Amino acid sequence: MDGPAQVPMVSPNGSVPPIYVPPGYVSQVIEENGVRRVLVLPQQPEFHPGSHPPIHPHPYMPPFLPPPVLPHHQMYSTGPGDAAAPYVAQHHPQHSYAEQESHPSHGRSNFIHRDERTSKAYERLQKKLKDRQANGSKDKMNSPPSSPHKSPTSEENEEEDPDTKAFEAYLSSVGKPVVSDIQARTVVLTWCPPSATNNDDADSDIVPEPCSFEIAISSSGKDGKFKVIYIGKDVNVTLKDLKPATEYQARVQAVSNLIRGTPSESESFTTLCSEPDTPMPPRIINRTKHSLNLQWKATCDNGSKVSNYNLEWDEGKGNSEFSQCYFGPQKQFKVVKLSPATGYRFKLAAMNELGMSDFSEEVLFYTTGSVPSTPASPQLVKAGITWLSLHWSKPSGTLSDEGISYILEMEDETSGYGFKPKYDGEDLACTIKNLRRKSTYKFRVIAYNSEGKSNPGEVMEVTTYADKPGSPSKPSVKGKIHAQNFKIIWDPPKDNGGSAITKYVVEMSVGANGNTWNVVYNGATREHVCDHLNPGCVYQLRVYCISEGGQSPVSETLLVQTPAVPPGPCQPPRLVGKARAREIQLRWGQPPIIGGSHIIGYRLEMSASDLTEPKEVYQGPDTECTVCSLLPGKIYSFRLRAANKAGYGPHSEKCEICTAAGCPDQCKVPQVVCKTATCVHVSWTTPNGNGADVTEYRLEWGVVEGVMQICYCGPGLNFEVKGLLPATTYFCRVQALNVAGAGPFSDVVLCMTPPSVPAAVSFLQMMDEDKLDTPLDSPSTCLAIQWEEPRNNGSEITSYSIDFGDRQPITVDRTINHIIRNLQPDTTYRIRVQAVNSIGPGPFSHTIKAKTKPLPPEPPRLECVAFSYQTLKLKWGEGTAKVLASDAIQYVLQMEDKTGRYSTIYKGPCHTHKVQRLNESTCYRFKIQACNEAGEGPFSDVYTFTTAKSPPSPVKAPRLKQLKENVCDLTWEPLPAMKGDPIVYNVQAMVGKDSEFKQPQPEFREQLPQVMAKIQVGERG
């Protein structure tokens, strides 16, 4: 069995019975348009991890691939018992791992980052999947087909590696879908993608991979059949085209690289109710002259019972204005008091508690009338060879054709049976077939309705067309075939199609495979002379004929070839390029007339003058030739003739060509004289011109013998080469030119320029302090510079001279850096350097500007602007409290510690600082220093500031003891002494209804460890 098995079956109860499939094949159940179908397909060698079956009803398909067309297989149908789903399942082709890996990944961004461990785990998993796929294909090709009762994935499930199981567990962690925005026909589903944190095995190498999601829904409960309605990579989807007032179950499943996770738990939701569906148009069940009885079917109520139907009509006016005809719960209605033979338009809508549906399509119904009048005779629309197309109009006085039928009768005079009916129906046209060609027939029309038949109409005679004639016989040649003409004849066709042949047409095509046909004859005779032909050419000829029935097919093709003749004269040969001194290159083309045969050769003849006999210089099939061993500046005459298989043709006209002059001879070695270290004088002599004067000389010069450039081009015999480098070796050579071209170069001459002063220093810059071997004495009075050693021009550099202003230049030894000392602070200098060798000083370098740093600043005056028993706020200099960190001057504040050493407590650009966490009534010593880019300045003198005394701490609540009726004893704990400062206690009391504490007159007495006071309270009246 090569393809899918075609097994039509019908199930009595609507369920799918078990189907036995032959070995090597699998069955697949899909649903399309509410019909379940079973596909029996050849088993594909695939890898199916886990416990999933080898073929899924909806295999994974990347969302960016176009959906394939479902093949037309014979499938199993379960009948109308199954409800139609809003989603039509499609069979998608399986994709191999290689194809999926070739597509770009569109996963979430957190899947893109992989460390080294996860990358290796992903590569190991992909390799195992590919190896298993390859091994499974080989095993299935080499082993016999497996039993249909044994799952083809049972052995693969046993051998499944831990990485695949872990990846399946990762895909199975997809979240349960969350339902939101439930409408009558739409709902929004949202779910969480798989997460590696949900896996129990924390040590497993789970690689987050881009995956797709399949959303499946079921309208028959959790145990019902789920249908996939969405495949994609988004984590939310809006489901559309749902049924109103229907309970659905939804679940999500993650798929990646043909590995499927376990579907999530199903989520239940019920769509809202809505207005009814648009009903079907009403149909007519009975009609009379004055009434129409209409009936309609109940429509889907979408969760709310249909309460009424609204029937509207146009009252027979034929316009677009409708009015209500009936409104109620019934599904039929009889419209009365109508006019006979009149058309009425109706439309229907249904209503429930949620609203009214759209109106149905408009329908037109007619009431009955009287017996139709006699119709007119039929008219011919188009006639054929064996058919006739007729049409007729409705009888006069008839308002409409509703309920009127027609009988078309035909009479064939050759049969002798009279008129026989050929058509009976409501149409106004009919095509009668299976007639004889070129024959006459009679037709008439009878109209009838439910009231009776009309009289037959007038008779019309119509004749069929004649048929096309058959093709004539194959043409043949009569007599001898000449080079430019021959004669052909042919026989008439065996079948003329029922009419006489009026003319014959002969078509001719040039070439054995030509497809362009031209008419060369048009007439009634059956012979023709084909003339004005080309010799040696192949012609195709065919014939067809024309009669009243049309044009016949063409006859068989006759192939004729005319004999060849010698070719015609050639065009004179032409010169290719320019004539040379001792050779000429000639080229020519085929003759305009080749005589009907390919050119097989040419003969070229040359003569030095009209008196000499021409001699052959070339014979062969080529179309160009080089004639050598000629003399410069002499005129030569050439002529040409071509040959084919019929012989040589005539000579061409003569062509006269003059040879050119030759190139000059090689020049002698040029004379070179060094004038300075950078200038050389070169001279040369004139060589032999070989028939033409020397017009130009070319002098090449360079430092490498093989790579020289032209430095002079002109008619002179000497040249001065300037701008050379001292103490450098150069090479030169000279060449002569005339109208014929350039002669050979002379021999190469070697020349060396004398040494000179050094070149200028090309690179000069300031040096950073961190790059110096020894630090600068003072950045305010020193500058460090460096430069690159220039070219010495043949003599070693002995020293450098540094110029930095009005002072005398400094001479230093052979070095590339120097520190200039004893400069003025905060001053700009212009510095340049020149190199000196034994010949003299070279030019100065470019000038750079450098500025010395200013001197370090003096320390500011330090003062205390605020103090307390724990803090001292110090201020120095002039400025605000808020200063940017980029200020030029930085301050360093130091304080003396217990050991007598000073430590830094602040460093920054601010002008204030608050010292905290100090002791009360204590002296502290400070000193300050200022710094800038020039360096650190000196420290100031020592400043001494003292903190204030602190107030005593709060006293604990006192204890009260009643001594007498108006005397009490008050006791509290004493505070520790404060460096000899006496402590005074203040006691206040509030008596009766007073709202304030007042000072009584107590008697103090101090007693350790407590302090007591007697208070006498006076009575208040």
Side-chain angles (χ1 to χ4, degrees), residues 254-269:
V255 181
S256 178
N257 289 335
L258 296 182
I259 299 178
R260 292 175 173 270
T262 304
S264 68
E265 297 180 11
S266 60
E267 176 70 14
S268 175
F269 65 91

Side-chain angles (χ1 to χ4, degrees), residues 269-289:
F269 65 91
T270 303
T271 54
L272 303 180
C273 300
S274 68
E275 68 275 359
D277 290 346
T278 302
M280 297 295 293
R283 61 186 182 89
I284 189 167
I285 59 176
N286 188 21
R287 81 177 81 199
T288 64
K289 292 183 179 181

